[in-house]
Amino acid sequence: MGGLVYYSSATGNTARLVAALGLKSARIPLRPSDPMPVPAGPFVLICPTFADGAGRGAVPKQVIRFLNVPSNRVFLRGVIGAGNRNFGATFALSADVIAKKCNVPVLTRFELAETELDIARIRVGLDKFWRTQCLITV
């Protein structure tokens, strides 16, 4: 099974979800001066959305910086988006942007204040996804 790489702002919403999942993970740092994680194998990226009303700026700059490293991007297998449903069409838009640019699937989306149902759904979905990935790569 692969791991998770995630970005969480200072509010910690995404970090709380990842902690609740209890899976192997690495955090993309808030500060550009902090070291980036270096994935050693396949991973799913969890990314919140910070878009303006027109969808600009959906992907956090630190995530862009991380994905601009080819040796990181090569291991990306899928993306999970987080956002606020109050923002309508830009809800979890970062996942769509990343998926399109990196040619990977959007696995799911969740509201920033995740629920127990979200956690269970994401766990089951990731387990199923990684099993499929293993079957494909064998």
Side-chain angles (χ1 to χ4, degrees):
M1 182 168 150
L4 298 173
V5 174
Y6 69 98
Y7 177 80
S8 186
S9 68
T11 63
N13 290 323
T14 306
R16 277 191 300 278
L17 171 93
V18 171
L21 290 172
L23 302 172
K24 183 177 83 174
S25 64
R27 183 175 183 165
I28 295 172
L30 288 171
R31 293 182 298 218
S33 59
D34 290 344
M36 282 286 181
V38 179
F43 68 92
V44 168
L45 177 66
I46 301 179
C47 185
T49 297
F50 298 102
D52 66 10
R56 292 180 300 257
V59 180
K61 289 180 180 170
Q62 283 293 88
V63 174
I64 293 169
R65 185 171 154 239
F66 172 79
L67 291 173
N68 278 341
V69 177
S71 59
N72 292 342
R73 199 173 50 247
V74 73
F75 289 121
L76 178 62
R77 296 296 183 265
V79 62
I80 295 173
N84 186 324
R85 291 188 192 279
N86 291 339
F87 295 117
T90 62
F91 169 67
L93 180 61
S94 64
D96 296 324
V97 172
I98 293 166
K100 185 175 180 180
K101 289 202 178 259
C102 297
N103 196 30
V104 297
V106 174
L107 303 179
T108 193
R109 296 168 178 81
F110 68 95
E111 183 82 26
L112 284 175
E114 81 284 342
T115 66
E116 287 299 319
L117 183 61
D118 289 328
I119 293 163
R121 181 177 51 84
I122 292 169
R123 262 195 210 121
V124 168
L126 283 169
D127 184 58
K128 186 176 179 179
F129 176 74
W130 287 119
R131 287 181 200 214
T132 303
Q133 291 296 299
C134 291
L135 290 174
I136 290 170
T137 58
V138 169

